[in-house]
Amino acid sequence: MPKLQSRRELLRAGLGGAAAIANTSEIATIDAPPPVRGVLTPADRFIDVSRGTPVPHSLPGEALINARLTPDTWRLEVVGEGGANVPKPLTLQDGSALDLSTLMNLGKTRSVKFLKAVQCLNIAQPLGQGLWEGVPLRDVLLLTGTFSSVRRIYYWGFHNDDPKQIFQSSLSLTQVMETPPWELPAFLAYRLNGKPLPLERGGPVRILIPWAHGFKSIKWLHRIALTNDYRANDTYAEANNDPESHLKTAAYLDSVPNTFPNNKPILIRGTVISGLSGLKRVEYWLRRVSAFDKPLSDNDPAWETAKWIKCPIDASPSDWRHTLPPDVRSTEIWGFDKITGNPKEWPLRYGMTGWTANVGLPPPGKYELRARAVDLNGFAQPEPRANRQTGLNGVEVRQFEVIG
Ligand SMILES: Nc1nc2c(c(=O)[nH]1)N[C@H]1C(S)=C(S)[C@@H](COP(=O)(O)O)O[C@H]1N2
Ligand SMILES: [Mo]
């Protein structure tokens, strides 16, 4: 599976603590290999950004059982703390902690299925897209009785004993309990692409927060606390990120060769995520240059003269039966029409798809190609906010030469 390796990549992945990253709106580098194209990324081809030494998915047999990370040994505690009043906590101590079969039983009547791209707040490339299945978090909280004095939900995954390795996240009670009709609920996922959620992706059970960046989607879920503390406790907040950020509408460029021959039309590919504000279009700007300069500064006059050209977006599959696992019909998936079985918009909200810049046959010379997404409010990247704390949103650029 693709791993992030360089120090810079680790910093960008938030693994290096409070990384000092310039607040520039242009990203000139490739941060990670492009995701596997296609609607579903195989579980083992997601880009992996897990913390932990060792990472939980490398634990050998006995250690894995002690960590409660096998389907039989997995247990989830749901408790009250910080002044919350929780009448029926689910604890390891009295044997009431939730097990996998009880959770999956809930799924028989409460199941959620949807397609979502996993996107890190500070890595430019999306990590992968899956068909996720599970149970709303609100239904799990209700198992603890009529609780009161609760303002936030804190949750943790398995981690080793070193406090530096704790990865934690949180939501307000309202975000968990009152899902707007146009939105997906926060949920506990136990299946990915029609199969049990593998350890590598946070199995047996992880949290999945549809609208959020990856840092809210805690893997190897072990413990949930209802608390009367009103403050977000997110690990990512401590590293100078906005813990309430939402997925951005943004286009990402694949890598390109250094040179192209001038006798074959040039096609450049990329990926686009439809974030909170939806997607109107993707467009590219081909700029001839005399030399490969440094990234354009935000106030460079060249931006004013840019000619942006609309890119065709990869269509949604015409027959979903060939794309989905055999036992899943598209009519069951959030965001799909219940009768036609087609997605109501494409790419789906919080999902991604590919696009193509048809550059044609430019004359020999040096070029820079930039791509950006325009959201449904008409904002083009890096707007509506070029603010790194809420997620990378820069205009990517690739440089190449056409040889005569
Ligand atoms: N327990 C735990 N959960 C975690 C993390 C982690 O390090 N530990 N990393 C988070 C971050 S920052 C991201 S971007 C996503 C990545 O999910 P993936 O590995 O399935 O692609 O997992 C999130 N959940
Ligand atoms: Mo992340």
Side-chain angles (χ1 to χ4, degrees):
M1 99 190 53
K3 285 250 181 207
L4 297 170
Q5 240 127 37
S6 76
R7 200 183 109 80
R8 182 180 58 82
E9 284 166 341
L10 290 174
L11 284 171
R12 291 214 168 195
L15 308 180
I21 299 169
N23 192 13
T24 168
S25 57
E26 181 161 284
I27 307 166
T29 50
I30 303 163
D31 295 290
V36 180
R37 206 90 62 196
V39 175
L40 302 184
T41 309
D44 60 352
R45 305 280 304 273
F46 277 61
I47 299 166
D48 193 276
V49 293
S50 315
R51 275 184 188 217
T53 320
V55 283
H57 41 287
S58 68
L59 293 176
E62 191 69 18
L64 207 56
I65 289 169
N66 293 336
R68 313 198 311 266
L69 288 178
T70 63
D72 290 338
T73 55
W74 181 80
R75 295 289 182 281
L76 173 66
E77 290 198 291
V78 189
V79 300
E81 63 176 44
N85 171 28
V86 176
K88 288 193 291 177
L90 311 177
T91 67
L92 285 173
Q93 206 178 359
D94 71 3
S96 58
L98 196 70
D99 62 21
L100 188 58
S101 61
T102 310
L103 184 69
M104 291 178 75
N105 256 331
L106 260 179
K108 285 184 183 151
T109 53
R110 295 275 191 270
S111 143
V112 184
K113 291 189 180 74
F114 83 113
L115 287 165
K116 172 184 162 55
V118 180
Q119 163 76 327
C120 185
L121 178 103
N122 44 31
I123 299 174
Q125 286 287 351
L127 305 179
Q129 171 164 265
L131 170 68
W132 304 88
E133 282 182 56
V135 177
L137 177 52
R138 56 176 185 256
D139 290 308
V140 171
L141 295 192
L142 290 177
L143 300 175
T144 64
T146 308
F147 49 79
S148 59
S149 290
V150 174
R151 282 186 276 180
R152 270 193 102 71
I153 309 303
Y154 289 176
Y155 46 95
W156 295 266
F158 168 80
H159 55 84
N160 68 16
D161 293 332
D162 176 0
K164 282 205 212 94
Q165 312 233 339
I166 296 178
F167 201 93
Q168 59 193 23
S169 187
S170 69
L171 293 167
S172 77
L173 184 65
T174 306
Q175 287 175 306
V176 176
M177 300 308 290
E178 289 152 76
T179 308
W182 56 88
E183 188 58 275
L184 278 152
F187 75 103
L188 277 62
Y190 47 72
R191 286 177 82 76
L192 170 61
N193 297 343
K195 299 197 187 91
L197 182 64
L199 197 57
E200 290 75 11
R201 296 275 70 72
V205 181
R206 81 183 288 177
I207 291 268
L208 215 65
I209 307 303
W211 60 85
H213 291 102
F215 68 88
K216 288 269 182 197
S217 296
I218 296 288
K219 295 182 277 197
W220 312 293
L221 182 66
H222 257 184
R223 187 160 181 272
I224 298 176
L226 296 83
T227 174
N228 199 26
D229 195 332
Y230 58 89
R231 290 163 295 190
N233 73 342
D234 296 51
T235 298
Y236 257 42
E238 291 157 16
N240 191 21
N241 301 299
D242 172 10
E244 293 305 333
S245 62
H246 288 74
L247 279 191
K248 303 267 197 196
T249 292
Y252 304 93
L253 273 162
D254 288 2
S255 53
V256 300
N258 294 332
T259 59
F260 286 98
N262 75 336
N263 58 3
K264 245 177 62 193
I266 297 174
L267 298 180
I268 290 175
R269 297 270 294 152
T271 305
V272 63
I273 285 193
S274 175
L276 185 64
S277 51
L279 175 68
K280 192 176 272 175
R281 63 175 180 275
V282 174
E283 45 193 34
Y284 78 90
W285 167 28
L286 184 69
R287 177 176 178 242
R288 190 156 184 186
V289 293
S290 47
F292 292 136
D293 288 331
K294 286 195 264 326
L296 279 183
S297 69
D298 290 356
N299 52 10
D300 194 300
W303 291 108
E304 300 302 323
T305 63
K307 264 179 57 196
W308 293 95
I309 298 167
K310 193 176 169 185
C311 301
I313 288 180
D314 293 2
S316 82
S318 55
D319 188 342
W320 280 88
R321 282 172 302 183
H322 301 316
T323 301
L324 296 173
D327 57 339
V328 179
R329 280 162 304 161
S330 63
T331 49
E332 304 166 46
I333 302 176
W334 184 88
F336 284 70
D337 188 278
K338 294 271 171 296
I339 293 157
T340 65
N342 290 320
K344 292 182 196 159
E345 55 183 344
W346 190 257
L348 286 160
R349 191 66 47 91
Y350 314 131
M352 65 180 180
T353 193
W355 52 266
T356 306
N358 293 302
V359 177
L361 292 163
K366 292 192 170 76
Y367 292 91
E368 289 179 345
L369 185 130
R370 289 177 174 76
R372 66 183 189 183
V374 179
D375 75 8
L376 289 177
N377 299 319
F379 282 117
Q381 274 177 265
E383 300 301 332
R385 25 181 214 285
N387 174 6
R388 197 200 69 78
Q389 275 80 4
T390 65
L392 281 187
N393 191 29
V395 176
E396 290 196 312
V397 58
R398 299 287 179 263
Q399 297 171 324
F400 58 88
E401 191 164 359
V402 177
I403 309 264

